[in-house]
Amino acid sequence: MTNTIPFFMQNQDAGYSELSSLNFTVGVVDPDDSGLTTSQIATLNTQGKTMFSYLDVGEAENFRSYWQSSWDSHPPSFVLAPDQGSPGDYLVAFWNTTWQGIMVNYIQTLAKEGYNGVFMDMGDAYTYPAVVAAYNHSDGTIANAYADYIIKLANAAKEINPNFKVMLNNGTGLLSNANLVHAIDGFDVEQPTFNSTDTALIHNVIAAGKTVTAINYDSTTSQQAAFIAKAVGDGYVPFESDTALDGYVTSTDYSIKTQLPANALSSLTSSVAQSSSSSTPSNEIITGTTGTQTLTGNGGNDTITAGIGNDSIVAGSGNDSIVLSSGNNTVAVGTGTSIIDNSTSHNNILFSTTSGYTTIINFVGHAFGGNTVLEFPTGVYSTPTLALMHVAYSGGNAFISIGDGHHVELMGVALYSLNIQDF
């Protein structure tokens, strides 16, 4: 479809319905604003949309879940100074181990929630005077230390999902670091000046076969068209919006796709395996191959087998049989009576409908850290007992959630008949 925006970013009012109706290939949203669930992300993937989560890695934000209320009056030592241009944001001592632990946990949570990648903002935080003044380490330059920090976060995310994509926004000075360029999957330059020094560094990313995007905020159609032509000519994937990034999309954004090479976004997008494009339900056998894929049933009685990789499986409305192979898999169960044969991998299984009965056999938690998550949202079953009656837990580390905050964490003791007393 030519009427598609290749890359866009919306940090405000980007809910599931808006994202479903907008034609795009790669999108960046704020996870707290969008409120996307794992199953919604998986459904967007079936529409050919790759979802990135925004994350400010150079600042602490006082509206995020990690911010503690006591920090308002007694900030921790890693909080350095407020960002005068962004109320509620505070520059941090990125080298502080406590702060790095917070960021590792945050980015791994995003990977577990099903996001396909992360858009790391403030790639240039190491150049801010407050950060430079506080840095007193002698183990290399501050730029190398910041690059090591970004690499650490990228590696942490890929521990959860090896195919998780990492974009860095700004910080062109880091692009002379070969290890940093290797660790990221793409780079974004905001309001590029196209000066020779920055252009040469950015082309290190392009030479590595990775996507470079460029966000700009021109106000007139002629300015937007000129910027897009210049950006595409330099090998970038451009996007024009307003500084609020509130969903404003220009008419010129829809002209970009026809100007780009076919593989312009290849380093950011995941392989997608889908069922037949026919809208008529049929009984299908859908088998994943090696790699990260989205496997989608088509409304019939489907047999879906995950391949070796980190797969998203969206069951249709029929009576489906789902077999999970090795990998970190996400399953959204549809209507109908489904049977899930769970392996020893790290799987997130979300029950989203009240129709039918779903049986989980050989429910095994992840044996090497982390939890397999089994989630029954509020209202899916009339009582917790109904939610549990078909679950056979066979060991490993598992976390089972049943609406309204009720949960049980299982740590290797097999329970073949769970009941509400276990919670």
Side-chain angles (χ1 to χ4, degrees):
M1 182 183 296
T2 57
N3 193 29
T4 299
I5 302 170
F7 169 80
F8 97 107
M9 182 173 182
Q10 183 175 343
N11 277 347
Q12 300 180 51
D13 304 320
Y16 175 69
S17 60
E18 290 80 6
L19 295 169
S20 295
S21 61
L22 181 66
N23 292 325
F24 65 92
T25 303
V26 175
V28 180
V29 298
D30 187 301
D32 293 330
D33 172 84
S34 68
L36 293 177
T37 65
T38 300
S39 60
Q40 287 173 339
I41 295 170
T43 301
L44 291 171
N45 289 165
T46 69
Q47 299 171 7
K49 301 169 181 177
T50 300
M51 298 307 305
F52 277 70
S53 170
Y54 173 90
L55 176 61
D56 189 336
V57 298
E59 295 177 323
E61 298 177 298
N62 66 6
F63 49 88
R64 299 298 181 189
S65 58
Y66 59 74
W67 186 272
Q68 301 177 24
S69 58
S70 61
W71 294 0
D72 293 334
S73 55
H74 298 89
S77 60
F78 58 76
V79 172
L80 299 178
D83 182 344
Q84 299 300 331
S86 300
D89 292 358
Y90 297 83
L91 292 162
V92 295
F94 65 85
W95 55 91
N96 180 277
T97 56
T98 300
W99 169 252
Q100 291 193 2
I102 291 171
M103 285 292 96
V104 165
N105 179 71
Y106 201 94
I107 198 171
Q108 289 188 329
T109 298
L110 295 174
K112 292 174 183 177
E113 289 175 348
Y115 281 98
N116 306 115
V118 66
F119 180 95
M120 294 185 181
D121 197 12
M122 291 294 289
D124 57 353
Y126 71 97
T127 67
Y128 280 58
V131 179
V132 174
Y135 185 79
N136 57 6
H137 293 240
S138 60
D139 51 344
T141 68
I142 190 172
N144 285 339
Y146 200 69
D148 289 343
Y149 165 57
I150 298 299
I151 293 169
K152 178 178 180 177
L153 297 183
N155 290 340
K158 291 173 187 289
E159 286 178 5
I160 304 301
N161 176 3
N163 290 286
F164 192 80
K165 308 298 183 180
V166 175
M167 290 186 71
L168 183 64
N169 182 42
N170 295 329
T172 53
L174 300 177
L175 301 180
S176 61
N177 187 312
N179 291 331
L180 184 281
V181 172
H182 177 75
I184 64 175
D185 300 285
F187 183 78
D188 179 76
V189 54
E190 196 170 4
Q191 295 182 286
T193 62
F194 299 105
N195 68 69
S196 58
T197 301
D198 285 351
T199 298
L201 289 168
I202 291 170
H203 273 266
N204 288 339
V205 180
I206 296 174
K210 300 179 180 183
T211 300
V212 172
T213 58
I215 299 175
N216 211 42
Y217 310 111
D218 289 314
S219 58
T220 69
T221 301
S222 60
Q223 290 173 330
Q224 294 161 1
F227 169 76
I228 288 171
K230 174 61 176 171
V232 171
D234 274 28
Y236 309 162
V237 178
F239 173 61
E240 283 277 10
S241 187
D242 57 10
T243 54
L245 293 170
D246 57 3
Y248 173 68
V249 175
T250 73
S251 59
T252 52
D253 286 319
Y254 288 101
S255 71
I256 296 171
K257 182 177 180 180
T258 59
Q259 303 178 51
L260 297 174
N263 63 347
L265 293 166
S266 59
S267 75
L268 301 180
T269 53
S270 301
S271 60
V272 176
Q274 299 185 30
S275 63
S276 166
S277 60
S278 170
S279 60
T280 303
S282 59
N283 302 331
E284 299 177 279
I285 298 175
I286 304 168
T287 304
T289 57
T290 300
T292 296
Q293 301 174 312
T294 298
L295 309 175
T296 306
N298 197 39
N301 302 327
D302 306 316
T303 299
I304 304 176
T305 303
I308 300 174
N310 306 319
D311 302 318
S312 296
I313 298 174
V314 182
S317 58
N319 302 327
D320 306 313
S321 176
I322 301 170
V323 180
L324 303 178
S325 303
S326 60
N328 301 331
N329 304 298
T330 298
V331 180
V333 180
T335 59
T337 301
S338 302
I339 298 175
I340 300 176
D341 186 356
N342 178 42
S343 73
T344 57
S345 303
H346 183 148
N347 302 303
N348 298 309
I349 303 172
L350 172 66
F351 289 75
S352 56
T353 66
T354 57
S355 301
Y357 286 96
T358 298
T359 300
I360 297 182
I361 59 176
N362 192 30
F363 180 50
V364 181
H366 190 52
F368 304 106
N371 289 322
T372 293
V373 176
L374 179 63
E375 181 179 356
F376 300 92
T378 303
V380 169
Y381 288 94
S382 58
T383 68
T385 300
L386 284 176
L388 294 170
M389 64 185 300
H390 296 299
V391 175
Y393 170 67
S394 304
N397 299 332
F399 185 92
I400 303 179
S401 171
I402 303 181
D404 297 328
H406 296 294
H407 68 272
V408 62
E409 188 161 5
L410 306 172
M411 304 292 288
V413 178
L415 295 172
Y416 290 94
S417 60
L418 294 170
N419 57 61
I420 192 59
Q421 283 71 39
D422 296 314
F423 289 71

